[in-house]
Structure formats: C-alpha cells, structure tokens
C-alpha cells in the first residue's frame, strides 16, 4: 500500500532532524543535568505547538502512558549507549534493528493486517544497508549498547500508531514527554543542582529542540498512515543513517566504501517504499 506523499515527506524530514540531534546528543555530557536541560528545552519549546493543536480523547491515555514509558527508556538507554560506543556505530545498528522488530511485531500482533512482500523487501534492504554503513567490526560492545535502543525504536511507533487515532500528534508527543521531563528535572535538582546552570547552553537547547521536532514530524507521519503502513514509516526513518554518515565524517573524518555501499542499499529500500 503506497504511503501518502505528505507522510513520506514528513518522515524523511524527521530522519534528517533525528540524525542531527543524535550527533549533538552523542557529544553532550552524560550526566543527569544535561539530560534534564535537554528534555526541559524540548518540552518548553514544543508547548505552544501542543496547545495550539490541543486534542486528546480518553481512549488515547493508555497508549500515551505506554509511549511515555518508552520515551523515558529510549533516552536513558541512548545516553548509556553513547557513553559506551561511538555514535556512528551505535546509530546504524540500532536503527537497522528497529524496522525488523516493527515488522515482526506487526505480523505477529496485527492479525488480519496484510503486509505485502514489497514491505518485507524494502525493510530488508534498508536494514541491510544500515548494517553495511557500520565502519569496522560490529563487536559485542556496540551490539549490546544498540540493542536496547532498537527495542524502543521498534515499540514506540507501533504503540503511537494506535494512540494517535484519538489525539493530535503535537499534543500526544508533548504529553508523552511530560513524565520524562519532570523526572529528570526532579533528580537533577536533588543530585546535580549546580550542574543545571552550566548545561543551559546553545548545544543543549538545540538538541532538545531537535528531539521534539523529529518526534513531532514522525508523529504527524504516523497519524497519516494506516496500521499496515506503520512498518514502512518505521523503515523510512532509518534513512537518518544517510545523514548520520556525513555528519559523523565532519566530526571524526572517517569514511569508507562500505559506508557508501550501505547508503546505496538504504536508498534502494526507500525507493521500493516510495514506489509501492
């Protein structure tokens, strides 16, 4: 089933912004103060958008609470992953596993939802391309760091696709961030009060803004998709690796033919989804 053009544009834009804020986040401090300021910045900046488009119905709350848990889990395991391994290795592995897990979950849990062989081929191509872009050997350290991130990447859109039937994407995203923002701020105020002021700087604010912008674009794309198109949306978000490659090169000056080949394979998967 072909994706709506609007959803395709939104999810590709989300992939770009997602890669950008991940590059910034990977270079940030790993402390609770940095996490708190990043979350608070995104939460505050997104508030006007959420209130301007406010819509939340009662059936959305169970899905919203689950997504809030995954939101907290995602940022915490991502922070831990970037402390253990470089972003240019963690990011491709995590994003490559994500769509495979989404497709498996959709096939197992959606019952009558038909997943075409085009979707399977596309997800396979994108995942293979992402794996190819990993420079060097993917050792246990990288895989162990990336796998928990992939679980969240797979679960979040799968749950949000259902919750968004009863809420506006901007409202849904903002409310899903509330527990994480309140929790990290409360912990930072108790354990790292002096560090909070130091973390209020342009890089942290931009990271927070990028986090909510990428999430908002992805939510809007999911709101336009049918349940059968959720695996395609998740797979298209993996094109963030195409943007991560040059951004990582600007930082570490590393590049290889393997990375270039992986990018070509990812584009092939995107082309399959776009056409079919």
């Amino acid at each position: 089933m072909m994706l709506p053009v609007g959803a395709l544009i939104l999810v590709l834009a989300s992939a770009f912004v997602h890669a950008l804020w991940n590059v910034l986040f990977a270079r940030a401090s790993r402390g609770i103060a940095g996490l708190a300021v990043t979350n608070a910045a995104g939460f505050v900046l997104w508030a006007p958008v959420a209130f301007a488009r406010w819509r939340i119905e009662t059936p959305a709350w169970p899905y919203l609470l689950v997504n809030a848990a995954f939101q907290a889990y995602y940022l915490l395991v991502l922070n831990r992953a970037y402390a253990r391994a470089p972003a240019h290795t963690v990011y491709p592995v995590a994003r490559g596993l994500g769509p495979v897990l989404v497709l498996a979950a959709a096939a197992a849990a959606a019952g009558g939802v038909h997943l075409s062989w085009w979707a399977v081929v596309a997800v396979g191509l994108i995942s293979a391309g992402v794996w190819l872009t990993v420079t060097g050997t993917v050792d246990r350290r990288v895989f162990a760091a990336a796998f928990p991130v992939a679980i969240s990447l797979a679960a979040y859109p799968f749950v949000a696709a259902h919750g968004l039937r009863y809420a506006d994407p901007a409202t849904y995203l903002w409310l899903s961030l509330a527990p994480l923002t309140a929790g990290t701020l409360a912990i930072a105020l108790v354990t790292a009060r002096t560090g909070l002021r130091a973390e209020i700087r342009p890089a942290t604010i931009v990271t927070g803004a990028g986090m909510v912008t990428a999430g908002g674009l992805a939510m809007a794309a999911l709101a336009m998709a049918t349940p059968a198109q959720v695996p395609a949306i998740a797979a298209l978000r993996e094109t963030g690796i195409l943007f991560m490659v040059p951004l990582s090169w600007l930082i570490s000056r590393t590049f290889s033919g393997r990375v270039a080949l992986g990018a070509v394979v990812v584009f092939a998967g995107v082309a399959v989804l776009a056409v079919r």
Side-chain angles (χ1 to χ4, degrees), residues 43-56:
F43 188 75
V44 171
L45 290 170
W46 196 252
V49 182
F51 282 109
R53 299 181 55 87
W54 191 267
R55 182 177 71 87
I56 181 77

Side-chain angles (χ1 to χ4, degrees), residues 58-70 158-166 172 176:
T58 302
W61 285 104
Y63 300 105
L64 186 59
L65 292 174
V66 175
N67 271 141
F70 277 119
F158 192 70
V159 176
H162 295 282
L164 287 170
R165 292 178 295 177
Y166 312 106
Y172 192 94
S176 73

Side-chain angles (χ1 to χ4, degrees), residues 178-196:
L180 174 63
T181 303
T184 52
L185 271 177
I187 296 172
L189 286 170
V190 173
T191 64
R193 184 186 296 268
T194 57
L196 280 173

Side-chain angles (χ1 to χ4, degrees), residues 89-113:
T89 58
V90 171
Y91 192 88
V93 175
R95 306 254 6 142
L97 289 173
V100 176
L101 294 176
V102 169
L103 187 63
V113 174

